[in-house]
């Protein structure tokens, strides 16, 4: 594969050189300063890109909103070198945004989102359990509140030197978003975009079930034998209490009383039916998704006033029944030039969203967990659908004692009962509003004052209807058969900036730019979490007042402030040598008074050697070097404080925190980072290259370490440890073919980051981050962050798996099994333009990293997957008893080194497959690599001649596609990206959603 890749790259480069020389035009000849252009950097300051001593990568609006999405950040996947975007596939769910690797062990690792110069709240809204990979719902993250139709461009700042002016908020890099602004326009300036999309489940990301055996755990002995109808004849009953498919082989001549035989009113009530595989397995549970996105943009102005208004409605239904999202977004800005020196601007973003029927996540009360782990394949999913809609009762395949009249669920509700009765809902309103004043004191000195409010109010609700199977529910986490849970949250951040800029022309060849200012941020969040306890009194009434018992609510009321003073000096000599330095001091109330004030700095330089090296083939060349130190504090809210739990009989109740905090000795994390880079543009700009090398060490990490059992506390919050990230990033642009009517552009992004936990605490070499049944996720010294540890195979000197004297694998305990960090990530975006036609597609690649599949672990145990029901080396069914030629020989060797020839019994659940068979968890750690056709677009714009005599200025039709094809993956039956939530805990799959393949049609009109 390496030879093929090198050959293709050589061919493309050589063709570029030949065609470039053959196709020179006047338009290809440009000045050096025009090549890199102007980009938006920290604090919204526009800079010449060639002057920057750090890496930045810009995407225009076409790359951001090429395909419809309810979260614009998903459209950046594969388009920015060093930016890892993970879309977990949940309906309306959150996305992980990590630049240049994981830096903090338990703190925030997400990139900062900056909207028109202002940092905004961008965290996820998920429950703590969901964020740790457990059960719950993924309520999305705040990046979804930004309308992609209103984005003009995005500039990604990756390193600490690039974001030093933002302080600790941008320790993980920043995504700088510039929205559309008003422009002088003699015409109406109205644009309309309308998109309709249809989605379907990608079958490669859902189980391929075996079709030979039905429900049961005990193989052919799984049936029950009773006189069902009282005629004195012993009948055959399916094991409705068994949530597995390790039962008897199908036989259409065998009549069996199954779950539907006991449902009053069912067509099969009181009747045995043939023992056959269900016509409709759980893959038929999913429906087509449908989405409508309509956007209107009004843009215009004159010499004094400019305005831009965008309204977008996004309505979509998911592939799960009873799932829908409706979002209205309004964005606007207005600018007024009062004089040549004084300009004012106001801006507003308003978002209102309602979502019903998000999918549950993790292990627990999750329909997908049933489909992927615990399911009898004789059960027809559409019969369950018909039963629910006919009766509106929780009649399910998993009955406790149907012969005794107890039709209640033993383990699993009817899936349609869960979707239409036990559904989640959430409402969110968000407003980002502000104003700024800009005054030119002189032609060289400008002062900018800006104030912004970021306000979010959200309400999340979960229902559990009377008659449901008992599961952990609510604040008490007791097993409840009904209930109501609600969380109300309000958060407001006020940000105020005062920025001064001074330009100094020191001499004919030397210039300087000075920036100084201050920022004050005040953030206040209030929340109350409440639930019923003991179940609902009145069925169908979802109110806390309808609770059988009282359990005190959890209230939070956290306020914090952060103030920063900063300065930046930038110098250039003759426009080819640039030097820049920044310094910032932050004061944060999240830290104790003794350590809440901290200072950090950055230094950067760039050398544009193309100004000195005159070569016909070189259009632009630059080397850059930077170093920075940045602090990172904790979230607001004093750690270790008690939590208000309301009152019981008038007595106040609190939770005593189990973490010891020596608060006065806490200090901010500190990140030290250097970067060196090369940027070139060659052969009439037909080849461009941007390469970065970086190394980042984060020290004084804040995390909770376990304490000894004899201690009063379970954990202690301390500063300890260090992580290191070092890597390389490459952005390559090619124009292999270019003529008057045709152009082919290739953009390649590739990045390799090596992450390692350098230290934790003296005497400690491992910190557990999360537990997934028998496997754990850890920070292990000497290993990459996110190491899987658990039971593993025992190997001999030749790398063969070793079995014991009974033919089962020997098992090693507490073994490192893999980690969540990829070896490298990349993407290739091809664009072809011929006259008014355009074709573009993105190939997104991830190489390496690990994912642990509890779905495969338990699904193998319960016998739903095809590999548990095939033929063995003798040509006999695996599930036959050993006496009948069944069983399997596990690949490996005996302890004496000879090939394994011991056949083990596979005739019952847990005999040969899954965790109960003694298979180590290492067997369910998979390579998380993938190659995806992430998006594709075909567009046609009507020629201007056809529209000349109309009021329409432009019209474009597009066919679009998302997640069209997983070209390669190593994880069976699921998407390697799928997961439970965004955040630090990744790489765990339990009941994950299948990927949705989406096809769209778009029309854009300009007036």
């Amino acid at each position: 594969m390496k030879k093929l890749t090198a050959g293709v790259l050589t061919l493309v480069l050589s063709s570029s050189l030949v065609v470039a020389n053959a196709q020179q035009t006047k338009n290809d000849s440009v000045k050096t300063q025009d090549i890199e252009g102007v980009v938006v950097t920290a604090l919204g300051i526009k800079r010449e890109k060639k002057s920057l001593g750090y890496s930045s990568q810009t995407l225009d609006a076409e790359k951001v909103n090429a395909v419809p999405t309810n979260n614009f950040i998903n459209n950046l996947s594969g388009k920015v070198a060093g930016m890892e975007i993970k879309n977990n596939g949940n309906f309306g769910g959150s996305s992980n945004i990590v630049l240049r690797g994981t830096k903090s062990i338990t703190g925030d690792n997400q990139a900062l989102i900056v909207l028109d110069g202002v940092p905004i709240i961008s965290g996820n809204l998920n429950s703590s359990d969901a964020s740790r990979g457990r059960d719950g719902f993924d309520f999305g993250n705040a990046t979804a509140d930004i309308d992609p139709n209103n984005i003009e461009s995005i500039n990604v700042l990756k390193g600490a030197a690039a974001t030093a002016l933002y302080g600790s908020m941008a320790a993980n890099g920043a995504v700088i978003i510039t929205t559309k602004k008003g422009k002088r326009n003699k015409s109406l300036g109205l644009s309309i975009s309308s998109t309709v999309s249809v989605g379907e489940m990608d079958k490669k990301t859902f189980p391929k079930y075996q079709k030979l055996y039905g429900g049961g755990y005990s193989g052919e002995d799984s049936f029950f034998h009773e006189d069902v109808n009282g005629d004195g004849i012993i009948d055959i009953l399916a094991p409705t209490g068994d949530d597995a498919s390790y039962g008897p082989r199908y036989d259409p001549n065998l009549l069996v009383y199954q779950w539907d035989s006991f449902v009053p009113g069912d067509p099969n009530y009181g009747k045995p039916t043939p023992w056959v595989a269900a016509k409709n397995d759980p893959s038929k549970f999913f429906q087509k998704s449908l989405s409508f996105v309509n956007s209107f943009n009004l843009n215009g102005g004159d010499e004094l006033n400019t305005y831009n208004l965008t309204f977008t409605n996004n309505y979509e239904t998911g592939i799960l029944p009873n799932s829908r999202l409706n979002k209205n977004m309004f964005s606007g800005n207005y600018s007024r030039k009062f004089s040549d020196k004084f300009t004012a601007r106001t801006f507003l973003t308003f978002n209102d969203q309602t979502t019903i029927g998000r999918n549950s996540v993790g292990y627990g009360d999750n329909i997908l967990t049933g489909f992927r782990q615990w399911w009898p394949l004789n059960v027809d999913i559409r019969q369950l659908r018909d039963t629910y809609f006919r009766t509106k009762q929780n009649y399910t395949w998993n009955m406790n004692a149907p012969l005794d009249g107890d039709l209640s669920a033993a383990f699993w509700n009817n899936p349609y009962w869960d979707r239409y009765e036990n559904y989640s809902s959430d409402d969110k309103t968000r407003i980002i509003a502000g104003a700024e004043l800009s005054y030119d004191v002189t032609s060289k000195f400008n002062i900018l004052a800006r104030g912004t409010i970021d306000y979010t109010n959200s309400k999340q609700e979960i229902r559990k209807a009377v008659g449901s199977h008992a599961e952990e529910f609510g604040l008490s986490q007791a097993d409840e058969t009904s209930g109501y849970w609600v969380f109300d949250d309000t958060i407001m951040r006020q940000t105020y900036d005062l920025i001064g800029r001074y330009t100094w022309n020191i001499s004919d060849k030397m210039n300087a730019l000075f920036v100084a200012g201050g920022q004050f941020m005040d953030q206040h969040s209030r929340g109350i979490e409440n639930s019923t306890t003991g179940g609902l009194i009145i069925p169908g009434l979802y109110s806390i007042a309808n609770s059988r018992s009282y359990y005190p609510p959890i209230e939070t009321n956290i306020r914090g402030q952060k103030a920063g003073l900063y300065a930046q000096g930038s110098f250039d000599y003759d426009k080819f040598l640039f030097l820049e330095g920044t310094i910032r001091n932050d004061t944060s109330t999240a830290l104790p008074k003794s350590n809440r004030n901290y200072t950090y700095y950055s230094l950067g330089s760039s050398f544009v050697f193309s100004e000195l090296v005159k070569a016909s083939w070189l259009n632009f060349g630059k080397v850059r070097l930077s170093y920075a130190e940045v602090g990172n504090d904790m979230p607001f809210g004093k750690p270790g404080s008690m939590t208000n739990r309301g009152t019981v009989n008038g007595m106040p109740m609190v939770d005593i925190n189990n973490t010891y905090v020596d608060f006065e000795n806490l200090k901010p994390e500190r990140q030290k980072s250097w970067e060196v880079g090369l940027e070139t543009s060659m052969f009439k700009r037909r080849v461009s290259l941007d390469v970065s090398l970086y190394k980042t060490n984060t020290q004084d990490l804040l995390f909770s370490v376990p304490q000894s059992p004899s201690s009063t506390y379970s954990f202690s919050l301390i500063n300890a440890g260090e992580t290191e990230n070092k890597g390389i990033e490459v952005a390559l642009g090619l124009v292999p073919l270019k003529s008057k009517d045709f152009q082919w552009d290739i953009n390649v992004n590739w990045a390799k980051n090596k992450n390692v936990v350098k230290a934790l605490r003296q005497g400690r070499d491992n910190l557990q981050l999360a537990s997934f049944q028998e496997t754990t996720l850890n920070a292990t010294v000497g290993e990459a962050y996110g190491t899987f540890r658990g039971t593993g195979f025992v190997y001999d000197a030749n790398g063969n798996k070793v079995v014991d004297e009974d033919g089962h694998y020997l098992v090693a305990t507490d073994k490192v099994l893999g980690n969540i960090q990829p070896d490298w990530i990349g993407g290739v975006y091809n664009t072809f333009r011929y006259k008014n036609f355009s074709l573009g597609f993105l190939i997104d690649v991830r190489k390496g990293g690990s994912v642990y599949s509890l779905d495969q672990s338990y699904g193998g145990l319960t016998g739903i997957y095809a590999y548990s029901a095939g033929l063995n080396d003798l040509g006999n069914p695996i599930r036959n008893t050993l006496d009948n030629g069944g069983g399997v020989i596990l690949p490996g060797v005996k302890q004496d080194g000879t090939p394994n020839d011991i056949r083990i019994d596979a005739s019952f659940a847990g005999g040969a497959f899954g965790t109960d068979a003694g298979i180590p968890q290492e067997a369910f750690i998979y390579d998380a690599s993938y190659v995806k056709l992430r998006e594709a677009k075909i567009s046609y714009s009507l020629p201007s001649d056809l529209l000349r005599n109309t009021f329409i200025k432009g019209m474009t039709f597009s066919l679009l596609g998302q997640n069209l094809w997983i070209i390669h993956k190593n994880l069976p039956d699921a998407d390697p990206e799928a997961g439970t939530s965004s955040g630090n805990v990744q790489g765990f799959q339990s009941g994950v959603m299948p990927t949705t393949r989406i096809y769209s049609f778009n029309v854009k009109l300009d007036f």
Side-chain angles (χ1 to χ4, degrees), residues 70-92:
N70 58 39
N71 192 339
F72 83 93
I73 206 73
N74 294 331
N75 283 356
L76 304 188
S77 182
K79 298 176 183 176
V80 179
M83 186 180 211
E84 186 179 5
I85 305 292
K86 184 179 179 185
N87 176 11
N88 54 44
N90 298 321
F91 179 64

Side-chain angles (χ1 to χ4, degrees), residues 259-270 380-396 399 407 414 416-417 420-421:
W259 72 272
D260 50 348
S261 303
F262 301 96
V263 178
D266 190 278
N268 293 324
Y269 181 67
D380 192 298
I381 194 71
R382 291 189 173 169
Q383 281 185 270
L384 288 167
R385 177 195 64 184
D386 295 343
T387 296
Y388 167 74
F389 283 112
R390 184 179 66 253
T391 66
K392 293 300 179 72
Q393 299 294 315
N394 188 22
Y395 291 127
T396 182
M399 299 172 175
L407 307 186
N414 185 313
Y416 291 90
W417 172 270
Y420 287 92
E421 303 289 345

Side-chain angles (χ1 to χ4, degrees), residues 607-771:
F607 171 50
V608 183
F609 59 83
S610 56
E611 293 288 347
L612 303 180
V613 179
K614 302 300 181 181
S616 60
W617 56 270
L618 180 64
N619 298 101
F620 178 78
K622 166 184 138 179
V623 291
R624 60 177 189 264
L625 175 66
S626 64
Y627 176 81
E629 292 192 13
V630 179
N632 189 18
D633 58 356
M634 299 178 297
F636 291 125
K638 183 180 177 180
S641 60
M642 296 182 180
T643 303
N644 176 19
R645 298 301 297 267
T647 62
V648 175
N649 295 327
M651 298 296 292
M653 301 292 292
V654 295
D655 266 353
I656 299 175
N657 198 294
N658 64 355
T659 299
Y660 173 73
V661 183
D662 187 1
F663 186 63
E664 293 304 317
N665 287 324
L666 293 180
K667 55 186 177 180
E669 298 179 347
R670 183 162 290 269
Q671 184 184 121
K672 300 179 180 180
S673 176
W674 65 261
E675 175 186 333
V676 61
L678 168 69
E679 297 175 42
T680 63
S681 181
M682 301 170 285
F683 310 112
K684 305 300 181 182
R685 294 181 295 148
R686 306 295 283 275
V687 178
S688 60
L689 179 67
D690 189 337
V691 180
S692 300
L693 295 171
Y694 63 88
K695 180 173 177 287
T696 301
N697 288 75
T698 308
Q699 301 169 339
D700 295 327
L701 297 172
L702 283 160
F703 59 89
S704 296
V705 296
Q707 298 297 293
S708 66
S710 60
S711 171
T712 306
Y713 296 91
S714 301
F715 299 92
S716 178
L717 181 64
I718 61 172
N719 285 103
E722 178 183 355
T723 60
E724 180 180 273
N725 289 275
K726 56 184 179 182
I728 180 173
E729 297 167 349
V730 179
L732 174 66
L734 301 171
V735 186
L737 296 173
K738 182 177 182 181
S739 66
K740 179 181 178 182
D741 295 328
F742 178 79
Q743 182 167 325
W744 174 19
D745 294 277
I746 304 174
N747 291 287
V748 180
N749 295 290
W750 182 86
K752 179 179 178 61
N753 180 75
K754 184 178 181 181
N755 173 281
V756 64
V757 178
K758 299 286 288 185
L760 287 174
R761 190 189 187 193
Q762 188 175 4
R764 176 174 294 278
D765 62 4
N766 189 75
L767 178 70
Q768 187 180 119
L769 305 171
S771 177

Side-chain angles (χ1 to χ4, degrees), residues 24 32 36 58 192 453 562 586 612 689 783 916 944 982:
Q24 294 180 12
T32 298
E36 286 209 318
T58 302
I192 299 175
I453 293 177
K562 182 180 292 186
D586 274 347
L612 303 180
L689 179 67
E783 302 284 345
D916 283 10
S944 57
S982 62

